[in-house]
């Protein structure tokens, strides 16, 4: 598949305009690679053959699922039942974690989280313990054995207002929770509620964050401030900040040297160095909502609002090398690689 792309070096004019080159063999989708995509306004998780773009199956879910994580074996997916379309939507929302069997492509069961509602941010650690964030109650829930748990096994207050997303260390011992209304990020201990949280105000409307590979630095996108901020992950002190303009909705760690940020005002993906220098930007046809990554190859899958598509992006060249149509409002996704 080809599409018209515009690739820019940061701070420079257009370098190349035209049809995207065919994917190199290192970034070509293998037959059998499947992308599981949460489709918020189709109220489903759908499975797409990445090579052909064909929708293989859809699992219907309660209204407005949002964030999703999968276990280490890519056997189960856990989807937060947010229950409202957007953060600005008024309402109680949902109060559940939806467990999807990725092999059977069915809704295996539902974990009731009441009274903790508007379940949005989701995380999983290297022991497959699950974490889910109640935006309304500002509480981070924990599930020690989520494959069988019928209720949360722990809960930690996050000390903020309108808690939306969080980043988690690999061992699950530290979580960094963003708050849309208190404009803060807090470091909490999911397994020890007696430890007082550490807070920082990185800018206005911090929504997403990511940890560096060594887990020493937290990178935060402050949307209303139009900035990326690097925070010491232990002390919660701001190390550096860069105004990038636009609306940096999501920020991701690519590797030891690169970050990837989505801008929903300019409809761009931008690669930054980990010292927050812009390197290169890619203009997209739709609004980049969320990004997932191939587990072993330099490839990203960008869910786009507006045109209801997933763009497949070569991260080394920052070019679109494929893509396909989805149902309404694709959001979080995960790549299920073909078996050898």
């Amino acid at each position: 598949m080809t599409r018209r792309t515009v690739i820019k070096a940061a701070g420079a004019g257009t370098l190349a305009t035209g049809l995207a080159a065919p994917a190199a063999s290192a970034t070509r989708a293998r037959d059998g690679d499947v992308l599981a995509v949460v489709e918020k306004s189709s109220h489903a998780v759908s499975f797409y053959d990445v090579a052909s773009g064909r929708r293989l199956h859809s699992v219907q879910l309660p209204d407005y699922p949002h964030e999703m994580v999968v276990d280490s074996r890519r056997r189960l997916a856990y989807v937060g039942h947010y229950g409202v379309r957007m953060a600005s939507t008024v309402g109680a929302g949902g109060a559940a974690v939806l467990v999807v069997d990725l092999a059977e492509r069915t809704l295996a069961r539902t974990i009731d989280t009441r009274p903790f509602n508007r379940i949005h941010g989701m995380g999983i650690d290297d022991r497959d313990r699950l974490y889910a964030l109640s935006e309304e109650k500002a509480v981070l829930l924990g599930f020690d054995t989520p494959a069988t748990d019928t209720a949360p096994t722990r809960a930690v207050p996050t000390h903020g207002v309108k808690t939306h997303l969080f980043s988690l260390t690999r061992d699950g011992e530290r979580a960094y929770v963003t708050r849309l209304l208190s404009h803060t990020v807090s470091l909490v201990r999911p397994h020890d509620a007696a430890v007082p949280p550490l807070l920082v105000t990185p800018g206005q409307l911090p929504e997403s964050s990511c940890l560096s590979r060594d887990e020493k630095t937290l990178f935060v996108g402050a949307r209303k401030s139009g900035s990326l901020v690097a925070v010491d992950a232990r002390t919660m002190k701001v190390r550096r900040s860069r105004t990038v303009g636009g609306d940096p909705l999501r920020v991701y760690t690519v590797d030891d040297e690169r970050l990837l940020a989505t801008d929903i005002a300019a409809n761009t993906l931008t690669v930054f160095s980990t010292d927050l220098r812009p390197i290169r930007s890619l203009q997209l046809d739709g609004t980049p909502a969320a990004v997932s990554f191939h587990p072993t190859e330099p490839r990203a899958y960008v869910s786009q609002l507006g045109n209801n598509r997933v763009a497949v992006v070569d991260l080394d060249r920052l070019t679109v090398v494929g893509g396909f149509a989805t149902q309404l409002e694709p959001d979080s996704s995960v790549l299920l690689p073909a078996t050898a």
Side-chain angles (χ1 to χ4, degrees):
M1 175 177 183
T2 58
R3 68 185 288 282
R4 188 170 180 82
T5 61
V6 180
I7 304 174
K8 298 180 181 179
T14 300
L15 294 181
T17 303
L19 295 178
S25 59
T27 57
R28 185 180 296 123
R30 291 182 297 171
D31 289 340
D33 280 359
V34 171
L35 192 72
V37 184
V38 173
E39 296 160 326
K40 292 191 301 187
S41 287
S42 287
H43 320 298
V45 170
S46 290
F47 297 80
Y48 292 88
D49 178 84
V50 177
S52 67
R54 183 167 63 96
R55 181 161 62 95
L56 304 172
H57 188 74
S58 292
V59 178
Q60 287 304 127
L61 301 176
D63 285 358
Y64 300 114
H66 279 218
E67 300 301 303
M68 173 175 64
V69 294
V70 300
D71 64 14
S72 59
R73 293 188 293 166
R74 283 174 159 73
R75 183 175 63 89
L76 296 175
Y78 301 98
V79 183
H81 185 204
Y82 193 51
V84 292
R85 181 170 172 262
M86 300 176 67
S88 58
T89 305
V90 176
V97 171
L98 311 169
V99 185
V100 176
D101 186 313
L102 295 173
E104 298 296 327
R105 297 176 184 172
T106 59
L107 176 60
R109 62 195 188 88
T110 298
I111 306 174
D112 192 335
T113 62
R114 289 176 295 179
F116 305 106
N117 59 323
R118 291 177 73 115
I119 302 299
H120 193 258
M122 303 288 291
I124 199 161
D125 67 21
D126 58 10
R127 293 170 54 184
D128 280 339
R129 295 178 298 187
L130 179 70
Y131 307 83
L133 184 61
S134 166
E135 181 187 84
E136 177 68 20
K137 297 296 190 293
V139 169
L140 183 63
L141 307 175
F143 304 81
D144 289 347
T145 53
T148 56
D149 285 339
T150 58
T153 51
R154 60 188 69 250
V156 178
T158 65
H159 302 276
V161 180
K162 206 169 183 63
T163 55
H164 202 61
L165 291 169
F166 65 95
S167 293
L168 186 71
T169 56
R170 287 182 288 273
D171 63 7
E173 294 301 320
R174 289 178 282 143
Y176 300 86
V177 182
T178 61
R179 290 78 159 266
L180 299 180
L181 281 183
S182 50
H183 306 288
T184 53
V185 181
S186 63
L187 164 57
V188 299
R189 304 284 180 168
H191 296 274
D192 191 350
V195 177
L198 291 177
L199 277 69
V200 64
T201 303
Q204 296 297 295
L205 200 67
E207 179 158 343
S208 78
S209 66
C210 62
L211 282 161
S212 60
R213 290 289 183 87
D214 63 9
E215 299 186 341
K216 293 181 179 179
T217 304
L218 183 75
F219 300 101
V220 182
R223 295 181 57 190
K224 278 191 177 180
S225 300
S227 60
L228 291 180
V229 184
V231 177
D232 186 295
R234 292 286 184 177
T235 67
M236 296 300 285
K237 303 295 184 184
V238 173
R239 288 177 173 169
R240 65 181 68 88
S241 179
R242 177 180 289 270
T243 300
V244 298
D247 189 339
L249 177 69
R250 297 286 182 108
V251 57
Y252 302 89
T253 300
V254 176
D255 51 34
D256 290 335
E257 299 178 346
R258 295 179 298 172
L259 307 172
L260 186 69
T262 65
D263 185 329
I264 63 170
N267 289 353
T268 57
L269 291 178
T270 300
V271 176
F272 291 87
S273 67
T274 50
D275 62 1
L276 307 185
R277 292 180 298 104
I279 297 172
R280 175 176 278 195
S281 291
L282 170 65
Q283 186 76 47
L284 296 171
D285 292 336
T287 301
V291 180
S292 66
F293 299 88
H294 194 285
T296 60
E297 299 175 9
R299 191 157 61 242
Y301 306 90
V302 185
S303 298
Q304 298 177 97
L305 305 177
N307 62 356
N308 296 315
R309 292 185 63 81
V310 168
V312 183
V313 175
D314 180 325
L315 289 172
D316 288 340
R317 295 182 292 156
L318 203 64
T319 57
V320 174
V321 294
F324 49 86
T326 67
Q327 298 190 105
L328 298 178
E329 293 196 303
D331 198 9
S332 55
S333 66
V334 65
L335 194 280
L336 308 174
T339 56

